[in-house]
Amino acid sequence: MLKTIWAIWERDAAGMQSQALGLAEALFTTEGFGLPQGFEIALRAPQKWLPMHPAFASLSALTPDTLAPMQGQPWPDLLIASGRKAAFAALAIKKASGGKTRTVLTQDPRSNPRNWDLLVVPEHDRVRGPNVLLTHGALHRVTQFKLDSAAQSFRDEFAQIPSPRVAVLVGGSNRNYTLDEDWMHDFVAQLRNMVQRSGCGILATVSRRTGEAETNILRGGLASLPAVLWDGKGPNPYFGFLGLADIIVVTCESISMISEACSTGKPVLVARLPGRSRRFELFYDSLLRRGLIQWFDGRLMQWENTRLDDMDHIARDIRDRFGWA
């Protein structure tokens, strides 16, 4: 009988959704697992403010719309959770299952790691323990099959964009880094200079975190160039851009986006934003030492790269730890 997998993540958290579903899909491609189900998680008060501890974990902490899709189904054999609220929900589901459900958390819960069966965390995080599996970057949903399929789907639509093609992945401000209008003006000037010097084409995309003003600056700067910009309208060509690109430029504030870019095996140029984070600097240093990234300074740089991809070995490690190999 196939083992069942649920992936859960915090509501409106695309990066966490990518981590939870990416790991679930990696396990699904191995023998013995069924098609994963995915659920967004939101918590009621006061549990959403309580400490991360099994004593406070209860299904009553989940909002009704969160709990409703799960009700009437047997608890899964494996639950993969990403984000604090999802970690809390994983404790509640494990308790409700009578311990039947094995739990895997994809981020440091900043709590006792033994509350979950396994933690999968990047090496730049500090958490360590006998049930902690380490990755080089963030888990994700990018696979070579998805890249090839998406590239084929969008090839005709973007055939007018000249080679070499540069995928430009733009995020937004967070608590560590600032992406504002001044930075975007400078970034657009670098992109224009790169196109004029190299004759490259640009496949650009913004994220939910990109401000409207910053998006408009980017749109205006690319208007006279051989470029396209996806601004959230219409089918998302993200995988297509990654698949069609020869080089990738990505802003520095998202470990998830950088990890996805590095998983393609293509040259990755990281655009620095104002700000600093010790965790992020450790992550950058690891990739720089391995030759996987270079800092973007407005020049088009190409080199023979290798792929950063933790998905296969993490899926194998989980199977081994639970005796499912």
Side-chain angles (χ1 to χ4, degrees), residues 29-45:
T29 61
T30 66
E31 186 177 353
F33 289 88
L35 184 67
Q37 293 190 70
F39 304 96
E40 289 189 329
I41 297 297
L43 299 181
R44 300 171 181 258

Side-chain angles (χ1 to χ4, degrees), residues 56-289:
F56 301 116
S58 168
L59 293 179
S60 63
L62 278 63
T63 58
D65 60 322
T66 293
L67 189 57
M70 303 177 186
Q71 291 179 321
Q73 301 190 62
W75 298 118
D77 297 301
L78 179 64
L79 179 71
I80 300 171
S82 186
R84 185 186 181 281
K85 296 180 179 65
F88 195 95
L91 294 177
I93 291 171
K94 184 175 180 67
K95 185 186 293 187
S97 75
K100 168 186 175 290
T101 296
R102 301 288 188 93
T103 54
V104 175
L105 188 61
T106 71
Q107 291 183 321
D108 181 357
R110 303 188 184 278
S111 180
N112 188 343
R114 293 182 181 274
N115 291 334
W116 297 267
D117 292 298
L118 284 177
L119 268 62
V120 181
V121 299
E123 61 186 0
H124 54 264
D125 279 343
R126 294 180 178 180
V127 62
R128 297 291 186 273
N131 66 329
V132 176
L133 304 178
L134 297 179
T135 65
H136 295 293
L139 301 175
H140 55 79
R141 302 183 71 188
V142 177
T143 66
Q144 192 60 50
F145 176 78
K146 289 179 181 178
L147 294 179
D148 292 343
S149 297
Q152 185 61 36
S153 297
F154 286 100
R155 194 176 305 279
D156 291 342
E157 183 175 348
F158 302 126
Q160 80 280 7
I161 303 299
S163 295
R165 292 176 175 146
V166 182
V168 177
L169 316 179
V170 178
S173 296
N174 59 21
R175 63 182 180 180
N176 298 307
Y177 296 96
T178 302
L179 196 164
D180 57 16
E181 294 178 50
D182 288 340
W183 183 88
M184 185 61 83
H185 280 297
D186 291 340
F187 183 59
V188 165
Q190 288 183 314
L191 293 178
R192 293 182 62 84
N193 188 46
M194 179 181 68
V195 172
Q196 290 163 4
R197 286 184 175 183
S198 68
C200 68
I202 291 180
L203 304 167
T205 178
V206 295
S207 77
R208 297 176 185 175
R209 295 177 291 106
T210 313
E212 182 177 356
E214 289 74 23
T215 299
N216 287 335
I217 292 168
L218 181 60
R219 181 184 293 110
L222 298 180
S224 61
L225 301 179
V228 293
L229 171 65
W230 186 74
D231 56 4
K233 300 174 184 176
N236 190 340
Y238 181 73
F239 285 161
F241 283 2
L242 292 180
L244 291 168
D246 301 294
I247 306 101
I248 301 170
V249 175
V250 55
T251 52
C252 77
E253 86 297 340
S254 172
I255 288 175
S256 291
M257 286 201 307
I258 296 172
S259 299
E260 289 168 351
C262 288
S263 75
T264 66
K266 299 174 182 181
V268 177
L269 303 174
V270 180
R272 270 201 180 276
L273 297 172
R276 187 173 177 82
S277 162
R278 179 184 176 278
R279 289 178 59 251
F280 280 60
E281 293 299 330
L282 291 172
F283 174 60
Y284 306 145
D285 288 346
S286 172
L287 299 185
L288 286 165
R289 285 195 305 270

